[in-house]
Amino acid sequence: MVKVGEYLIKRLKEVGIETIFGVPGDYNMPLLDMIEDDKEVIWGNNANELNAAYAADGYARIRGVGAVVTTFGVGELSAAAGIAGSYSEMLPVIHIVGTPNTKSQAEGAILHHTLGNGNFQVFVEMFAKISCASTHLTRDTAIKEIDRVIQESIVRKRTGYIGIPIDLISYEVNIPEFKSLDLSLPKNPAKTQDVCLKVVLEAINKAQHPIVIVDACVQRHNLQKEAAAFIKRSGFPTYVAPMGKGLVPEEYPNYRGCYAGTITLEGIAKEVQKADLIIELGSIKSDFNTGGFTYGLDRGKTISLHSFATNVFYADYDKVNMGEFLPLLTSHLPGSPRHFELGPRIEPAPTAEGSEITHNYFWNKVPDYIDENSIIIAETGTSEFASFNLRASKNTFFIAQVLWGSIGYSVGAALGAAMAARDRRVYLFCGDGSFQLTCQEVSVILRHGLTPVIFILNNDGYLIEKLIHGPHRDYNNFQMWQYSKTLDYFGAPLERNTKVGSSQVGFQGKVTNRSEFEQAMKTVQSQRNKIHFLEVVMPRFDAPRELILQVETSENR
């Protein structure tokens, strides 16, 4: 016999979850008892449900799946924007909601956290719109439904929702045999795949200027190694879309940079435009990922490998997914890579003279201080767009919410990523406005003893909004904070916190010119086991080139 709550936790551990994020509520606390008592699981203990959802999202980007626990009604709705973002960006985050006692539900009782109308299905019905699988557990279906939701969420790379009534958490069920979840994809239809392979190889053999563009779905389906094998064996010039940043090692001789439509560096755009064959791996054609839909790629020259199909020019090969097809394609390429004379890789504009910390200076200089094997998290807005052409250290992993674009996302995501990979250094780049939405999660980062390097880019307002509309409107401004005192406010120096493992503090302060920044970064580099917090003061209307060009494509100006 096993309790339903314990079974759920066992399944989460089976798929690789070691930290479960969330916030206590009176309908979920018996489940939290089980989480806390399980020595193989860490409770995230978040400041609020929205941040917990962001943390689970960041965790899922590193581990492949994440989990968040909230309470019925008020708690789950607080997490909704984060869950929708994970659904949008194809991340399997399992949302577990503690719900009222089944007896009270059956009686239609007017309970707290309800709408007062006796309807206990309304929230699961809401979340069904932003989940690929959802359920409200009953005694008869609990085990089967837990397995179904977790399995579908991971296979389909979307969020899953599990509502668990409080009295079911400790309800015991008999499980004759515990079998591992089947997370495999269906095999590609053999005949369709054979025809597809023949057509693709013919196109490759005819092409004089083939290129590869790698995008986010390669990472979502854990196909980085397969993509790397194809890139190395083909030798084709390779680019990443913004959502694919970091998926191609920049030390590869045929890596050429980031392609994002009209906001692409000019020399890179010219290379892409010369291509007579474009092979897309896991593409996502969203506005910010394509420079405002300015990709301009001719479908008659494009082969797109997806998780659900392969598109070859104007023909669609349904159910030929890239997980199986890409390695097969690679194995049929010539043994030696083709060589192309492209010249030196195109780089962003060099640093201009001056003492101010401009975006041109900052994003050219900061890579000098980024460790290898690190994780870079770029907030929606200036940091996100600047990261497209950021020079990356070896094995650097990038996180940015390019499609959903919820400001404040990066702070919670940094917590999740740091918990998922404690052996990797995390660098968080967040604007001052975004930080004001979700700053509470810095307290949780400290509580878990994590040691990210946090950059708050203080340009006194919502810069991306000002560039789109209302540059001098007061709604794009907000109260100035003493950002450089953040760690103090959240209790970093308090003895009661340091005694239980709170992060040790390295540099914490404001930098207003290049000399101060470079001096602070010396401390950051020399103290890798401490958390660092830099308030970076920038000119009010200075912006990365990529953001300025993107704004010009906006239909909201």
Side-chain angles (χ1 to χ4, degrees):
M1 302 293 285
V2 63
K3 294 177 180 177
V4 172
E6 292 174 344
Y7 180 86
L8 173 57
I9 294 168
K10 186 172 183 177
R11 282 303 196 196
L12 296 178
K13 292 192 295 184
E14 178 191 337
V15 298
I17 292 173
E18 295 177 344
T19 301
I20 299 173
F21 300 95
V23 177
D26 55 353
Y27 294 127
N28 67 27
M29 287 192 285
L31 180 63
L32 303 194
D33 290 339
M34 294 176 180
I35 292 172
E36 188 169 310
D37 291 342
D38 191 314
K39 302 306 179 186
E40 297 176 342
V41 177
I42 297 171
W43 171 239
N45 211 341
N46 299 90
N48 60 56
E49 291 88 356
L50 176 60
N51 288 351
Y54 290 155
D57 180 297
Y59 191 93
R61 289 173 191 256
I62 303 298
R63 291 290 188 93
V65 59
V68 57
V69 177
T70 64
T71 198
F72 181 75
V74 292
E76 58 186 312
L77 293 185
S78 178
I83 297 298
S86 297
Y87 181 92
S88 168
E89 301 229 346
M90 291 179 290
L91 292 156
V93 169
I94 312 300
H95 184 192
I96 301 155
V97 181
T99 70
N101 187 289
T102 51
K103 182 174 181 292
S104 296
Q105 291 192 44
E107 294 172 349
I110 308 301
L111 300 180
H112 63 286
H113 298 344
T114 73
L115 298 179
N117 60 2
N119 185 349
F120 291 91
Q121 295 300 117
V122 61
F123 302 124
V124 67
E125 290 171 0
M126 287 182 183
F127 276 92
K129 304 295 185 182
I130 51 173
S131 306
C132 74
S134 58
T135 188
H136 201 169
L137 300 182
T138 66
R139 294 188 177 191
D140 295 335
T141 66
I143 300 304
K144 183 179 179 180
E145 285 292 275
I146 287 171
D147 288 356
R148 179 184 68 84
V149 171
I150 294 175
Q151 186 173 3
E152 286 192 30
S153 178
I154 293 174
V155 170
R156 295 173 61 184
K157 308 304 177 188
R158 301 282 187 179
T159 51
Y161 177 102
I162 299 174
I164 179 168
I166 189 169
D167 55 313
L168 258 64
I169 293 172
S170 297
Y171 178 72
E172 292 188 338
V173 292
N174 182 40
I175 302 177
E177 184 180 4
F178 185 86
K179 295 182 179 180
S180 297
L181 294 173
D182 180 9
L183 304 177
S184 61
L185 291 171
K187 293 285 289 181
N188 290 351
K191 291 183 179 180
T192 307
Q193 180 164 262
D194 288 344
V195 174
C196 182
L197 178 64
K198 181 181 178 181
V199 174
V200 171
L201 288 172
E202 287 176 355
I204 286 174
N205 290 333
K206 290 178 183 177
Q208 297 298 309
H209 301 286
I211 66 169
V212 180
I213 301 178
V214 178
D215 210 340
C217 282
V218 167
Q219 188 275 328
R220 302 299 191 265
H221 292 272
N222 195 29
L223 295 173
Q224 292 96 314
K225 290 182 180 178
E226 290 79 359
F230 178 78
I231 292 162
K232 291 174 73 173
R233 185 158 172 176
S234 70
F236 298 167
T238 299
Y239 307 82
V240 293
M243 290 179 72
K245 175 71 174 178
L247 298 181
V248 179
E250 295 191 8
E251 63 270 19
Y252 281 13
N254 52 331
Y255 174 72
R256 302 299 297 170
C258 181
Y259 181 68
T262 57
I263 71 173
T264 307
L265 296 177
E266 185 178 354
I268 292 175
K270 288 180 178 178
E271 292 178 9
V272 172
Q273 289 161 7
K274 283 170 41 179
D276 59 358
L277 179 66
I278 301 150
I279 300 173
E280 296 179 326
L281 304 181
S283 67
I284 298 175
K285 300 292 179 63
S286 71
D287 52 356
F288 282 3
N289 204 37
T290 61
F293 303 117
T294 61
Y295 245 35
L297 302 181
D298 183 352
R299 185 172 178 181
K301 299 179 181 179
T302 304
I303 296 171
S304 294
L305 277 63
H306 297 284
S307 59
F308 53 88
T310 296
N311 312 124
V312 183
F313 311 139
Y314 298 101
D316 299 330
Y317 295 86
D318 192 34
K319 299 180 181 178
V320 177
N321 82 73
M322 63 180 173
E324 182 181 337
F325 184 70
L326 182 57
L328 178 66
L329 177 60
T330 303
S331 70
H332 282 77
L333 295 177
S336 299
R338 288 172 62 178
H339 180 69
F340 299 86
E341 293 290 346
L342 292 170
R345 189 183 302 166
I346 306 301
E347 301 289 350
T351 303
E353 295 292 327
S355 60
E356 285 186 311
I357 305 177
T358 60
H359 282 280
N360 164 257
Y361 162 79
F362 183 77
W363 298 107
N364 273 322
K365 187 64 179 177
V366 79
D368 293 346
Y369 305 108
I370 303 292
D371 289 354
E372 291 186 358
N373 198 40
S374 59
I375 299 171
I376 290 177
I377 301 168
E379 176 59 59
T380 298
T382 54
S383 298
E384 171 189 293
F385 285 94
S387 72
F388 294 174
N389 293 304
L390 182 68
R391 174 167 41 92
S393 302
K394 188 175 182 180
N395 295 328
T396 296
F397 187 87
F398 283 79
I399 294 176
Q401 205 183 45
V402 177
L403 176 53
W404 183 243
S406 183
I407 64 171
Y409 159 80
S410 65
V411 185
L415 165 67
M419 292 296 291
R422 281 182 171 266
D423 58 333
R424 303 177 74 173
R425 202 168 199 194
V426 171
Y427 297 84
L428 166 60
F429 298 92
C430 185
D432 50 347
S434 296
F435 185 69
Q436 290 203 8
L437 272 71
T438 53
C439 61
Q440 309 96 316
E441 224 53 29
V442 172
S443 174
V444 185
I445 288 171
L446 289 167
R447 181 183 178 89
H448 286 292
L450 302 172
T451 56
V453 182
I454 301 173
F455 301 91
I456 300 303
L457 308 186
N458 183 357
N459 49 23
D460 192 16
Y462 293 122
L463 179 59
I464 185 171
E465 312 290 0
K466 290 177 180 180
L467 294 175
I468 293 172
H469 186 85
H472 302 290
R473 290 288 185 177
D474 200 45
Y475 55 69
N476 280 328
N477 296 313
F478 41 78
Q479 181 87 345
M480 179 60 69
W481 285 4
Q482 293 180 299
Y483 298 100
S484 61
K485 297 182 179 180
T486 295
L487 301 184
D488 287 346
Y489 176 80
F490 285 123
L494 295 181
E495 185 179 358
R496 62 168 289 175
N497 293 332
T498 57
K499 277 185 174 181
V500 293
S502 181
S503 311
Q504 294 184 15
V505 177
F507 181 87
Q508 179 185 207
K510 179 191 293 189
V511 293
T512 61
N513 58 53
R514 299 179 186 186
S515 176
E516 291 176 354
F517 172 72
E518 291 168 20
Q519 192 62 37
M521 291 309 295
K522 290 180 181 178
T523 302
V524 171
Q525 282 193 302
S526 65
Q527 298 179 1
R528 285 177 167 79
N529 61 339
K530 295 182 179 181
I531 187 172
H532 303 273
F533 192 102
L534 289 80
E535 177 187 350
V536 182
V537 178
M538 293 181 147
R540 201 173 190 202
F541 285 95
D542 184 54
R545 165 197 171 278
E546 295 80 3
L547 178 57
I548 294 170
L549 293 175
Q550 177 70 45
V551 166
E552 289 177 358
T553 72
S554 174
E555 60 184 28
N556 301 324
R557 301 191 76 183

